[in-house]
Amino acid sequence: MSIDPRHDVASGGTGLFEFWTDQGVPVYLHDMDLVSVEVRPVDQVVVLRFEYTEARWTPAAAEATPVVVMRFEGVAVRWWNQEAGVLGQVGDFEYDGGDGFKLTTYSAVMEFGAARLVVTAEPGRGRG
């Protein structure tokens, strides 16, 4: 994530819902789908993968790296409710300013605490 105070996680009050990478690529989770959740209880790790799945909602700067991977460490899942099927479009990703997170998608809600977060952007399948 960007450390530029105009574009970091705290800059616009949008938290993890809208921010920029340190390469200046905008990340708009509200225009992305949550495509996978990997939970590693023994390691206390949760890995979330989001992808721009609609070309019209993908910022030009994100076309080469349309997948955002969030790796949370030191995780304690507090609540998780998911309907069967696709995880769906991101509706909201709240951050309490400490260690609390609440992710809401079309068909899932997950609340958890985490000690550390690492965010990376990667090429998508079939993209450059």
Side-chain angles (χ1 to χ4, degrees):
M1 290 183 279
S2 175
I3 58 171
D4 179 340
R6 296 167 298 165
H7 295 119
D8 68 1
V9 171
S11 66
T14 58
L16 293 175
F17 200 52
E18 207 172 87
F19 59 93
W20 287 258
T21 68
D22 56 358
Q23 290 84 28
V25 176
V27 174
Y28 305 131
L29 288 185
H30 51 83
D31 291 335
M32 303 179 91
D33 284 345
L34 176 62
V35 294
S36 72
V37 176
E38 180 183 350
V39 179
R40 300 183 205 156
V42 173
D43 299 326
Q44 295 182 312
V45 169
V46 170
V47 179
L48 306 175
R49 289 183 174 276
F50 303 88
E51 186 168 5
Y52 288 108
T53 56
E54 296 277 336
R56 64 184 173 156
W57 299 115
T58 306
E63 288 178 356
T65 53
V67 177
V68 172
V69 179
M70 294 186 179
R71 177 188 166 95
F72 293 87
E73 299 172 353
V75 173
V77 175
R78 297 177 182 139
W79 191 71
W80 187 356
N81 184 17
Q82 179 180 333
E83 295 177 19
V86 181
L87 294 165
Q89 183 176 4
V90 176
D92 199 6
F93 203 163
E94 299 172 42
Y95 170 56
D96 70 5
D99 70 349
F101 300 89
K102 181 179 180 183
L103 173 63
T104 306
T105 72
Y106 176 74
S107 63
V109 177
M110 183 179 192
E111 291 184 43
F112 59 96
R116 185 167 190 263
L117 166 62
V118 176
V119 179
T120 56
E122 302 175 350
R125 289 168 283 183
R127 296 186 188 195

